[in-house]
Amino acid sequence: MELSRKAALLLAYLQKTGGGSLDEWRVRDRTGLSHGSIVAARRELVAAGLVTLSKSCRHFVYALTGQGQSLPETAEAAADKPPAAPAESLSPAVSSGALRQAEELSVETVQEAEAKHAPRGGDCFFASPMPHVAGTFFDFDEWTDALMNALGDCLDISESLVEEGTYTVYSHDFESEDTYHTETTSEGFIVN
């Protein structure tokens, strides 16, 4: 089983804590993962059958299925390291998969990606417009899941330091950003 680095870090932290209802800020502090990375890692672990999720109030409750117990001790040690930890400190399954992907990236791959976005028949290139994901959601996590479904898994979500409840979302797939205004009410997490 090959896991991404972020999924391995989250799994190691869950194994260390035993799962349960965890505060996301603590998971971020211990693993060095961002909110978006935690959401993507959580999805990967659920899809791999290593973790099951439920909710208690507004918190996710993590339950280990026991399938991930065979990961080497080095994966558990990776949870206490900063995000820039060398790939050698990760489990062999994780580091080999992540390194293999990085090594396979060549000039040809980059040129092929640039060719996909090159203008066709003219000097202008118009990107498809980025969808605006608004509405009423259960909580911030549910909105983040909706963002990832609509905008791709690689997102940068940053809260405004000036205006409370305002977020800027940058989608790497669309190479564009959008601003959202949010409010938590008794009806849910409202996003405009």
Side-chain angles (χ1 to χ4, degrees), residues 1 5 9 30 33-34 39 49 54 73 78-79 81 88 99-100 107 111 133-135 149 156 166 180 185-186 189 191:
M1 145 187 55
R5 180 180 183 280
L9 286 171
R30 297 290 187 185
L33 296 172
S34 68
V39 171
S54 60
E73 292 290 321
K81 295 192 186 245
E88 296 82 37
L99 290 176
R100 189 177 326 112
V107 175
Q111 289 172 347
V133 183
N149 287 335
D156 293 326
T166 300
Y180 294 89
T185 68
S186 61
F189 189 73
V191 180

Side-chain angles (χ1 to χ4, degrees), residues 155-175:
L155 300 174
D156 293 326
I157 303 172
S158 55
E159 187 171 11
S160 171
L161 298 175
V162 178
E163 189 177 348
E164 187 177 333
T166 300
Y167 293 89
T168 301
V169 177
Y170 179 81
S171 169
H172 292 271
D173 289 355
F174 285 92
E175 296 179 353

Side-chain angles (χ1 to χ4, degrees), residues 172-185:
H172 292 271
D173 289 355
F174 285 92
E175 296 179 353
S176 185
E177 72 179 23
D178 199 354
T179 302
Y180 294 89
H181 302 282
T182 67
E183 181 182 4
T184 303
T185 68

Side-chain angles (χ1 to χ4, degrees), residues 7-167:
L9 286 171
L10 181 58
L11 179 61
Y13 181 72
L14 293 174
Q15 288 174 334
K16 185 176 181 179
T17 61
S21 179
L22 302 173
D23 289 321
E24 185 175 320
W25 66 268
R26 189 177 310 263
V27 176
R28 286 194 317 259
D29 286 350
R30 297 290 187 185
T31 62
L33 296 172
S34 68
H35 169 74
S37 293
I38 291 170
V39 171
R42 185 170 56 219
R43 280 186 175 177
E44 186 176 340
L45 293 175
V46 169
L50 300 171
V51 172
T52 59
L53 290 177
S54 60
K55 277 199 171 185
S56 173
C57 295
R58 293 184 171 226
H59 288 93
F60 278 105
V61 179
Y62 297 86
L64 296 166
T65 62
Q67 295 179 18
Q69 301 301 325
S70 63
L71 285 179
E73 292 290 321
T74 53
E76 288 182 28
D80 292 329
K81 295 192 186 245
E88 296 82 37
S89 68
L90 298 175
S91 69
V94 175
S95 61
S96 65
L99 290 176
R100 189 177 326 112
Q101 288 175 351
E103 289 168 357
E104 289 174 356
L105 183 63
S106 65
V107 175
E108 292 175 21
T109 309
V110 173
Q111 289 172 347
E112 289 171 8
E114 288 174 355
K116 287 181 187 175
H117 298 293
R120 297 181 197 179
D123 294 330
C124 297
F125 171 70
F126 296 99
S128 59
M130 186 168 98
H132 186 80
V133 183
T136 302
F137 300 90
F138 180 74
D139 59 6
F140 184 85
D141 287 337
E142 185 180 39
W143 176 56
T144 303
D145 288 343
L147 285 170
M148 292 173 71
N149 287 335
L151 307 177
D153 288 341
C154 192
L155 300 174
D156 293 326
I157 303 172
S158 55
E159 187 171 11
S160 171
L161 298 175
V162 178
E163 189 177 348
E164 187 177 333
T166 300
Y167 293 89

